[in-house]
DNA sequence: ATCTGTCGGATTGTCCGACAAAATGCCGCC
DNA sequence: GGCGGCATTTTGTCGGACAATCCGACAGAT
């Protein structure tokens, strides 16, 4: 009986967006290429400017086109990690994901990422990690800055794994954790020193290229997070927020 | 010297989108709630309908509002896994991620996910996995259908882990792998039987609640993928595509 | 030669009004 | 109560308009 699929007539703005997206994905339009002006596009697609603009908004929110600050021209862009990660965390938060689920995912991803990083890191990244530890120590009572540093540390570590997929997978996790992380750093006195210790051990292991040690310390580090959260009175069943 | 940050004045359509998004995230607008009509919104925001429409396109592409098929009314929606995953895979493909990176990420995520699934699965999910194996066997020479089944198997397995984060993390990976997976199934004769064997062993381990066995078999399964790709003449350094 | 002020053209952000097609709602009818 | 038909609403798209502002060029000042 179901021979016919529901016919789908996409509105013009959607097809225009799709056309541009297709050209971007195919590499015809490369990163940084300037997009023609709206009137020009409207003429090309034989469509009204308002219609083009709706298509552009869609592409813009996908991160496929962007405007350099203080400029009018739209340019082709490749979505940055931040763009995508924010979408993922939004979806997870709306999906009612609990703190435990995020933590569990981190327990799976981070230790192995650390192990990889230990094997693949280069000198620059080692240097960056070192500086981030210093920055965390310097942050002192400023919990916002402290959290930002921890997040940066995780990200730098993921980048050291030389695997862009892991960088992207990890970004939403830290983003979802950071609000409560701030809370924890404020309320649990020993949190700061434990974080520093873990980061130092991680750095040492990564510096030596000792993947197994890195993995073990990262596991402790993440486990510590959970203990810290419990001490701060945050339940594992609480839903994460953005 | 750099005392002043670049001043940013968001255009109206962006602030409107942000206003709606804020209400969604705060839970004021819940999933399924109908959105007022465009003219109504335009009056509320004291702005032209065209401006509202641009804001709506942006929200739409974020998956925060959607239209039920064959309906005119826009409704608040929570982004589904598919929405977000497509954005992630787009970003990864544009980022020039290689097949090896995706594979490596899968080697990290999937075995542990399988182990979790073995511990947490319920009867329904076990049943679903069983049927998916049957569907794969039935697919026969239809490589499109076969690939779709493999992807569904991975997804069902991730869902069995009862961890929505893992479901979301895994979706882009299989999506990026599937084009080449089809190629491989077509070209490597023994691929099909090996996949079936791995799926059966996985199902058995998960059925018994044996996490360790599930982990081991998933590891073999993923490793097999790589061998299969090599046999099909796909280099690990090839960039993935969507 | 470099910096500054100015000017015209191009482009964007926003508005207005309009219309056909499709969906929704209402109403009378069976 | 269910159903067909008509009026109303809503969306998709169009055309045109205007102020703000960015861009590039050009001339004048230091």
């Amino acid at each position: 009986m179901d021979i016919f699929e529901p016919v789908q007539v996409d509105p013009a703005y959607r097809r225009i967006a799709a056309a541009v997206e297709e050209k971007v994905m195919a590499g015809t339009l490369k990163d940084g290429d300037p997009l023609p002006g709206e009137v020009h596009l409207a003429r090309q697609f034989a469509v009204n400017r308002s219609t083009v603009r709706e298509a552009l908004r869609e592409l813009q929110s996908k991160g496929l086109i962007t405007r350099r600050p203080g400029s009018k021209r739209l340019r082709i862009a490749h979505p940055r990690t931040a763009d995508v990660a924010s979408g993922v965390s939004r979806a997870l938060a709306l999906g009612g994901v609990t703190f435990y689920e995020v933590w569990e995912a981190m327990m799976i991803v981070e230790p192995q990422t650390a192990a990889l990083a230990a094997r693949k890191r280069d000198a620059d990244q080692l240097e960056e990690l070192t500086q981030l530890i210093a920055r965390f120590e310097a942050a002192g009572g400023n919990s916002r800055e402290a959290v930002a540093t921890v997040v940066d540390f995780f990200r730098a570590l993921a980048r050291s794994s030389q695997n862009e997929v892991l960088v992207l997978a990890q970004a939403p996790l830290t983003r979802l954790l950071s609000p409560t992380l701030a809370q924890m750093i404020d309320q649990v006195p020993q949190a700061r020193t434990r974080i520093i210790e873990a980061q130092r051990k991680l750095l040492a292991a990564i510096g030596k290229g000792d993947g197994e040690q890195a993995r073990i310390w990262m596991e402790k580090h993440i486990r510590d997070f959970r203990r810290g959260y419990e001490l701060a009175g945050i339940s594992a069943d609480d839903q994460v927020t953005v």
Side-chain angles (χ1 to χ4, degrees), chain A:
Chain A
M1 193 56 101
D2 295 23
I3 319 176
F4 297 107
E5 303 176 4
V7 56
Q8 49 198 353
V9 278
D10 280 351
Y13 62 81
R14 189 170 291 282
R15 270 179 308 185
I16 291 175
V20 176
E21 177 174 342
E22 201 265 329
K23 286 260 185 298
V24 175
M25 295 309 292
T28 315
L29 291 172
K30 288 191 294 287
D31 196 8
D33 284 358
L35 214 57
E38 296 175 353
V39 277
H40 201 279
L41 284 175
R43 265 199 300 274
Q44 279 202 16
F45 286 112
V47 98
N48 192 276
R49 191 164 78 99
S50 311
T51 307
V52 169
R53 282 177 66 82
E54 292 186 46
L56 291 181
R57 291 299 87 78
E58 194 161 319
L59 291 167
Q60 213 169 12
S61 90
K62 286 184 183 173
L64 285 175
I65 61 181
T66 184
R67 200 188 316 281
R68 299 197 176 158
S71 167
K72 252 171 182 183
R73 263 244 208 49
L74 282 169
R75 291 173 177 289
I76 302 295
H78 288 180
R80 295 158 308 156
T81 304
D83 298 329
V84 182
S86 77
V88 176
S89 7
R90 222 191 351 252
L92 288 174
L94 283 174
V97 160
T98 63
F99 169 71
Y100 179 75
E101 285 175 90
V102 177
W103 178 82
E104 196 171 57
M106 283 190 88
M107 275 298 278
I108 290 181
V109 174
E110 299 292 352
Q112 306 253 41
T113 302
L116 257 185
R119 284 184 231 114
K120 304 218 181 170
R121 86 285 182 280
D122 60 34
D124 284 356
Q125 288 156 340
L126 223 49
E127 170 64 17
E128 191 184 356
L129 289 173
T130 310
Q131 290 189 358
L132 280 170
I133 296 183
R135 220 181 90 202
F136 181 79
E137 292 179 287
N142 184 348
S143 65
R144 279 172 68 94
E145 165 74 358
V147 170
T149 315
V150 171
V151 170
D152 282 351
F153 186 86
F154 273 101
R155 207 167 45 134
L157 196 142
R159 272 210 309 275
S160 304
S161 75
Q162 315 283 5
N163 187 323
E164 201 53 37
V165 180
L166 294 176
V167 175
L168 202 48
Q170 180 253 19
L173 302 181
T174 50
R175 172 186 280 251
L176 288 172
L177 237 49
S178 37
T180 24
L181 180 56
Q183 208 176 321
M184 168 184 124
I185 287 187
D186 275 340
Q187 292 177 22
V188 182
Q190 64 270 37
R192 195 167 287 123
T193 58
R194 298 203 58 129
I195 289 176
I196 291 181
E197 188 197 357
Q199 289 186 342
R200 284 229 185 89
K201 300 278 192 183
L202 270 166
L203 178 62
I206 292 173
K208 281 188 300 183
D210 186 341
E212 190 51 19
Q213 276 297 306
R215 195 182 62 68
I216 290 173
W217 273 102
M218 182 56 98
E219 230 174 79
K220 286 191 194 178
H221 189 27
I222 311 267
R223 245 188 260 283
D224 250 20
F225 273 177
R226 180 141 175 234
R227 268 200 359 145
Y229 281 102
E230 279 162 4
L231 287 175
I234 298 161
S235 160
D237 294 331
D238 287 350
Q239 294 183 4
V240 292
T241 60
V242 285

